[in-house]
Amino acid sequence: MLVIISFFIAHWYLSLFTQTFFHHRYAAHGTFTMSRFWEKFFHVVSFVFQGSSYLSPYAYGVMHRLHHAYADTEKDPHSPKYDKNIFTMMWRTRGIYKAIDEGTAAIDPKFTKGVPKWRAFDRFAENGLVRSLWVVLYIVLYYFYADQWWLYVLIPIHAVMGPFHGVIINWFAHKYGYRNFEVKDTSMNLMPVDVLMLGEGLHNNHHKYGGRAKFSVKWFEFDPVYPIIWFFDKIGIIKIKKKDPLDYMG
Ligand SMILES: [Zn+2]
Ligand SMILES: [Zn+2]
């Protein structure tokens, strides 16, 4: 049981880390820059950590830019205001993601400019067989280490980990929580110390300051990924674009 719980926690956080660090803060918002080498490096690391639910940083980045531009309007790719329930929202988001990923959606170039694109790698990582092999790997691991039957209910979460994290923010952080800023959309901060969603839950702050690398604003808020970003900047892996006065450890 300890092995399985550790594996679940590791998968949860490593997958979420690549999503918030690489897909969200880098690909979509460009809050920091990195060399071609590190870009490819984090692209591959995202595949390893996200596994069967690997998301294309390009498709994610473009779709997410649309979300910020049209948040909570008819043109928003996902909004609890326009989708009846969490499942219809997920299904609509999936369709838009696929259209961007496959290049069939007509997108204004301002939404695609500078978003990292590695089509050949994405084709491989999103291949149905590759995705299935990851799921087989999860099942094999559970087969050997899950000593209680109920642990198997976690396998579907492993399989859809990336979109599972996405939907928590896209639905709940546009519905529940508190607001620091009266922005036009319905974004909320789910919790002041966001250990579960690695800072992504500070969503109202993020909608107000989309270009900031750090998602916490008030003294009582904490974004656990920012110290890592700060460290990567210090040792030269990345370069934070805008260091505003709100950034601690600037
Ligand atoms: Zn949002
Ligand atoms: Zn964003």
Side-chain angles (χ1 to χ4, degrees):
M1 181 152 140
L2 194 66
V3 175
I4 292 297
I5 298 293
S6 309
F7 173 63
F8 184 81
I9 293 171
H11 191 199
W12 176 281
Y13 282 111
L14 293 173
S15 170
L16 183 57
F17 173 76
T18 51
Q19 191 174 136
T20 185
F21 173 80
F22 191 64
H23 291 57
H24 189 196
R25 304 188 207 205
Y26 176 70
H29 290 288
T31 56
F32 43 83
T33 56
M34 62 177 83
S35 67
R36 290 272 294 165
F37 167 80
W38 285 113
E39 190 181 286
K40 299 287 179 214
F41 174 83
F42 284 114
H43 215 119
V44 175
V45 167
S46 299
F47 169 63
V48 175
F49 289 167
Q50 293 174 10
S52 61
S53 68
Y54 170 83
L55 293 164
S56 152
Y58 177 79
Y60 177 101
V62 172
M63 189 170 76
H64 188 70
R65 285 183 179 185
L66 293 171
H67 169 61
H68 275 268
Y70 303 115
D72 297 309
T73 69
E74 302 98 314
K75 285 172 154 179
D76 188 349
H78 41 75
S79 166
K81 222 172 130 183
Y82 283 90
D83 294 293
K84 260 192 282 154
N85 59 55
I86 211 161
F87 299 105
T88 54
M89 185 184 80
M90 279 173 86
W91 196 250
R92 196 164 66 88
T93 309
R94 184 179 174 272
I96 297 167
Y97 171 89
K98 268 185 109 95
I100 298 169
D101 200 28
E102 285 158 12
T104 54
I107 307 280
D108 188 318
K110 72 178 177 205
F111 295 116
T112 58
K113 198 171 167 256
V115 185
K117 198 173 189 179
W118 192 1
R119 196 67 202 106
F121 185 83
D122 285 353
R123 269 214 188 107
F124 155 75
E126 293 185 303
N127 182 283
L129 183 70
V130 174
R131 288 202 194 281
S132 310
L133 284 173
W134 277 111
V135 179
V136 170
L137 187 79
Y138 306 148
I139 295 171
V140 168
L141 203 95
Y142 272 66
Y143 176 76
F144 283 109
Y145 293 101
D147 43 13
Q148 293 184 39
W149 67 267
W150 62 265
L151 287 168
Y152 280 87
V153 301
L154 297 175
I155 292 178
I157 303 178
H158 284 289
V160 296
M161 193 64 95
F164 186 77
H165 287 142
V167 88
I168 292 176
I169 299 304
N170 298 338
W171 184 265
F172 295 99
H174 273 267
K175 243 177 140 59
Y176 308 104
Y178 69 95
R179 276 158 93 86
N180 285 332
F181 306 102
E182 278 314 312
V183 287
K184 276 196 210 123
D185 54 71
T186 60
S187 59
M188 303 280 218
N189 292 327
L190 283 173
M191 51 211 134
V193 179
D194 187 14
V195 286
L196 215 59
M197 293 306 296
L198 296 184
E200 289 285 309
L202 294 162
H203 203 59
N204 174 248
N205 296 349
H206 173 60
H207 268 270
K208 174 73 179 175
Y209 297 115
R212 285 186 67 213
K214 188 179 75 161
F215 288 0
S216 54
V217 169
K218 303 266 170 160
W219 65 267
F220 55 85
E221 293 170 343
F222 181 62
D223 165 11
V225 166
Y226 185 68
I228 300 169
I229 292 173
W230 177 86
F231 177 69
F232 282 178
D233 177 88
K234 277 280 172 271
I235 61 171
I237 292 178
I238 61 162
K239 215 171 158 23
I240 299 174
K241 266 197 212 151
K242 260 193 291 178
K243 288 184 183 162
D244 60 66
L246 287 167
D247 286 354
Y248 57 88
M249 308 189 296

